[in-house]
Amino acid sequence: MMTSFLARFAIVLSFLIVSAVAPAGAQQVVPQAPAAPAISTDLSAQPPAAGQPAAGQAAAGQPAATSAESAARGGKSVTTGLDELSPLGMFLKADMIVKSVMIALALASVASWTILIAKSIEFSVLRRRLVAALRKLGGAKSLAEAHLALGNGKNVATVLLQAAIAEARLSAGLGSDEGIKERAASSFTEIVRAEARRVRVGMGLLATVGAISPFVGLFGTVWGIMNSFIGISKSQTTNLAVVAPGIAEALLATAIGLAAAIPAVIIYNHFSRVTKGYLELVNRASGATGRLLSRDLDRSQIGLHARAAE
């Protein structure tokens, strides 16, 4: 009776040990209960051999090592995935056409910021010189005095003054002062227009970048998403891990397009205001030069009348 009880207890204990050690999801086979052998109490009481680990300890150590290795692999894969989804990683993995779009938009953005720096320096120098020239024109009493005050300065006020002096010299001996003023005003208008064209250099590029950059980026996005759908059809899977990188690369082109367009529009509007203010100063210089010419013509008429009276 005691022997039969020990045999059943040993079978149940073996079954529990096998169930605990078996990996999750593995198919387990329940052994059929053999005929109860005669179990010796001496054999069951023997300890395991020296240096040989118990079955439970060996089985317990193996899952721990496996889970540690899986965690390490999982951390490495997550790090690799984050690196691939960085802007630089997405750019390097993008299609050649999408790369070309991104590079073109980046160059357009660099051009916009270069224009900002160059024209800011240019307008600062032009305004400072023109304001100083306007003060000298306002204090002069004649074209000759203004010419001595300005010298050969490199500004539009000097060009206007030289045009007025040239027209007065070419029209010497003519009796109509109104004709001289009209021809001088025509020359002033041409000079002002030429100056306006000169200071607007680069504005067309800013307008072009601000207008078409979003659409160029959208073209890159459409091309990248099209390639992503082709990859989905080839892989025959809609797993987000497969689809997400391609769509992220495509959307990066739109982001770069907006990053190029928004500053270009802001810079263009800024320089439109600055150009308008500078051209107002140029028109003031033109008016001041015209007034000096008119005074000189009136003086010459007064001199002629005085000599005629004598």
Side-chain angles (χ1 to χ4, degrees):
M1 190 69 179
M2 182 62 66
T3 303
S4 177
F5 174 77
L6 290 177
R8 292 173 183 174
F9 178 78
I11 292 172
V12 173
L13 182 61
S14 300
F15 177 75
L16 292 176
I17 292 174
V18 171
S19 299
V21 173
Q27 187 176 2
Q28 298 178 359
V29 180
V30 181
Q32 295 180 355
I39 299 177
S40 174
T41 56
D42 295 333
L43 292 175
S44 61
Q46 289 181 356
Q52 181 177 2
Q57 294 177 357
Q62 184 176 0
T66 303
S67 29
E69 183 178 358
S70 301
R73 289 179 181 176
K76 184 177 180 181
S77 63
V78 169
T79 305
T80 305
L82 292 177
D83 293 338
E84 291 177 353
L85 290 179
S86 64
L88 180 59
M90 288 188 291
F91 169 76
L92 295 176
K93 292 188 64 179
D95 182 71
M96 183 57 64
I97 294 180
V98 181
K99 278 185 181 179
S100 302
V101 169
M102 292 180 184
I103 292 173
L105 291 172
L107 292 177
S109 180
V110 171
S112 300
W113 290 104
T114 303
I115 292 173
L116 171 65
I117 297 172
K119 294 195 76 66
S120 296
I121 297 173
E122 179 187 8
F123 275 113
S124 176
V125 174
L126 289 176
R127 286 180 63 88
R128 185 174 65 250
R129 291 177 179 176
L130 188 54
V131 169
L134 280 173
R135 286 198 297 266
K136 294 176 181 179
L137 286 176
K141 296 181 180 180
S142 64
L143 292 176
E145 185 179 346
H147 182 68
L148 290 175
L150 292 179
N152 294 322
K154 296 181 179 180
N155 56 74
V156 68
T158 303
V159 178
L160 291 169
L161 186 62
Q162 291 174 354
I165 294 173
E167 184 60 36
R169 186 182 300 114
L170 292 173
S171 301
L174 299 178
S176 175
D177 292 344
E178 293 298 326
I180 297 175
K181 294 177 183 178
E182 183 179 350
R183 289 187 292 271
S186 176
S187 299
F188 294 164
T189 302
E190 293 178 358
I191 293 171
V192 171
R193 288 178 180 174
E195 184 69 10
R197 288 192 300 268
R198 189 181 70 83
V199 297
R200 286 196 177 102
V201 172
M203 301 286 287
L205 179 60
L206 290 173
T208 302
V209 171
I212 70 172
S213 289
F215 299 101
V216 175
L218 184 60
F219 167 74
T221 298
V222 171
W223 188 272
I225 292 178
M226 182 178 65
N227 288 335
S228 298
F229 281 119
I230 293 173
I232 292 171
S233 64
K234 289 181 179 179
S235 61
Q236 296 181 355
T237 179
T238 57
N239 188 2
L240 187 60
V242 178
V243 179
I247 296 178
E249 295 163 10
L251 293 176
L252 181 62
T254 299
I256 297 177
L258 294 175
I262 294 173
V265 173
I266 295 174
I267 295 170
Y268 177 83
N269 293 332
H270 167 69
F271 282 122
S272 294
R273 294 189 297 270
V274 173
T275 302
K276 184 178 179 180
Y278 174 72
L279 291 179
E280 288 177 357
L281 293 177
V282 174
N283 288 323
R284 286 177 55 189
S286 174
T289 306
R291 288 190 294 272
L292 290 176
L293 177 62
S294 178
R295 291 193 190 105
D296 284 356
L297 292 175
D298 289 344
R299 289 192 186 99
S300 64
Q301 290 295 328
I302 291 173
L304 290 174
H305 290 309
R307 285 194 295 269
E310 291 176 356

